[in-house]
Amino acid sequence: MDYQWYPGHMTKAKRMMQEDIKLVDLVIELTDARAPMSSRNPDIDELGKNKSRVILLNKADLADENQNRRWEAYFRDRKVQAVAVNSRTGAGMKQIQNVIMTACQEKIERDRRKGIVNRPVRAMVAGIPNVGKSTFINSFAGKASAKTGNKPGVTRGKQWIRLNKNVELLDTPGILWPKIEDPMVGRRLAALGSIRDEIIQAEELSLWLLDYIKEQYPGLLSARYWVSEAQDAAALLGEIAQVRGCLKMGGEPDYEKAAAAVLDDFRSCRIGRITLECLPEEPVTEDRIVE
């Protein structure tokens, strides 16, 4: 499987971000907590290399809670402010104002030395498609300030949102990068819904996902579908098709429909809280965890 998706509007969006980056003090990068590194666009890293940075592990409620803590610690160990959040419910959102101020402390101190006070921090909100940027902005601002959608590529124009006297946000479209070199990254992004479903091979992707869940989260598939995990992924998908009633004429399994059901169940957390990109087991001390 080699998933690539880079439509023309993303090239335009990247050029716009290159122009706008000089207007901001900070880049707030949203990632999907289920794949925190794979859902980071290296082009955004390059654009924001001279800016203060905050990383939000969004959709944290869908990811493995232990992995959320490890990823927060991973970024903090690298001197990057990082917070696991759930933009839909507001979990973790109260921390963000302080995190922004901490990340921009040097800028605020420079302004103060120059006699500039109360100038708001201007932050660019960036990320790949379908990572939840607009939902985050709506939640953070406390109102419907940006369009939202459950398909990648909804936000395409430039939007400034003033939150309060301290922070202004610049919303940007979700962009991928021109070529995804690592096939595993492509699989993870396709499973998360950051690549359009119309171009993915759902059956092949679901087989990989079933194998991954069996290995990393044993018991979740049997609990969800009442099936035996002691079989290969193809047989497991066929059994899921039978259980879910995904059948063709004559009672044959409809693997395509079953695959779509598995992907939908994963994305909506009906199988369970699953992280597709796990850090090794290691002790995480309290002082390394963002409360």
Side-chain angles (χ1 to χ4, degrees):
M1 289 181 290
D2 184 19
Y3 295 113
Q4 305 289 337
W5 185 50
Y6 194 70
H9 75 265
M10 290 189 184
T11 302
K12 180 180 178 182
K14 181 182 174 182
R15 285 198 300 265
M16 182 179 71
M17 290 171 69
Q18 288 170 329
E19 289 296 315
D20 293 338
I21 194 72
K22 58 181 173 285
L23 304 175
V24 304
D25 310 299
L26 168 75
V27 175
I28 300 174
E29 182 182 1
L30 269 75
T31 68
D32 191 307
R34 294 167 293 180
M37 291 303 292
S38 292
S39 59
R40 294 191 70 199
N41 183 340
D43 288 347
I44 295 173
D45 247 359
E46 179 64 22
L47 283 170
K49 63 183 178 182
N50 296 319
K51 302 292 180 179
S52 299
R53 303 294 298 275
V54 168
I55 291 177
L56 301 182
L57 307 173
N58 198 27
K59 305 187 180 183
D61 59 311
L62 308 181
D64 182 330
E65 192 170 8
N66 290 329
Q67 285 298 320
N68 289 343
R69 289 197 293 268
R70 290 193 185 98
W71 279 110
E72 283 181 320
Y74 172 90
F75 288 115
R76 290 185 68 193
D77 285 349
R78 286 153 181 79
K79 312 302 181 187
V80 177
Q81 297 287 325
V83 186
V85 300
N86 176 0
S87 297
R88 290 184 303 104
T89 66
M93 301 292 286
K94 290 181 180 179
Q95 304 175 52
I96 296 174
Q97 180 86 17
N98 288 337
V99 168
I100 289 173
M101 294 298 108
T102 300
C104 293
Q105 191 61 43
E106 289 185 12
K107 176 262 180 192
I108 295 168
E109 290 298 328
R110 283 197 307 270
D111 284 351
R112 186 174 292 124
R113 287 194 295 269
K114 295 175 183 177
I116 302 170
V117 294
N118 297 326
R119 187 171 78 176
V121 169
R122 304 193 90 186
M124 175 183 284
V125 180
I128 67 170
N130 207 32
V131 80
K133 294 184 305 302
S134 296
T135 302
F136 159 70
I137 289 173
N138 292 346
S139 178
F140 195 28
K143 56 186 178 183
S145 302
K147 296 177 182 178
T148 60
N150 58 7
K151 291 187 177 182
V154 170
T155 307
R156 298 204 178 183
K158 179 164 63 175
Q159 300 183 70
W160 280 101
I161 299 98
R162 181 158 190 147
L163 299 184
N164 50 49
K165 66 179 182 179
N166 295 318
V167 180
E168 293 179 355
L169 298 181
L170 174 62
D171 190 18
T172 61
I175 59 169
L176 291 168
W177 52 108
K179 182 169 177 57
I180 299 171
E181 300 287 350
D182 185 347
M184 186 61 71
V185 171
R187 291 189 190 107
R188 293 180 185 126
L189 296 183
L192 295 174
S194 292
I195 294 175
R196 283 199 182 279
D197 283 342
E198 290 80 1
I199 68 169
I200 73 172
Q201 298 167 307
E203 186 176 333
E204 195 173 358
L205 182 62
S206 72
L207 293 177
W208 167 77
L209 184 60
L210 290 171
D211 271 334
Y212 178 87
I213 296 172
K214 279 202 307 175
E215 179 182 347
Q216 297 294 326
Y217 296 93
L220 288 187
L221 294 173
S222 59
R224 170 63 183 168
Y225 300 111
W226 295 90
V227 295
S228 169
E229 295 183 10
Q231 53 189 322
D232 65 30
L236 185 55
L237 185 61
E239 192 172 346
I240 291 171
Q242 295 286 345
V243 170
R244 292 292 299 268
C246 300
L247 306 173
K248 297 180 179 179
M249 293 290 291
E252 290 296 312
D254 188 326
Y255 289 97
E256 187 175 344
K257 283 186 178 180
V262 168
L263 289 174
D264 187 58
D265 284 349
F266 161 72
R267 291 170 182 172
S268 57
C269 205
R270 287 190 288 267
I271 297 174
R273 296 179 65 165
I274 295 166
T275 295
L276 296 180
E277 196 169 32
C278 293
L279 287 167
E281 294 280 345
E282 61 180 32
V284 179
T285 57
E286 290 299 319
D287 63 327
R288 293 168 61 213
I289 301 173
V290 177
E291 294 296 340

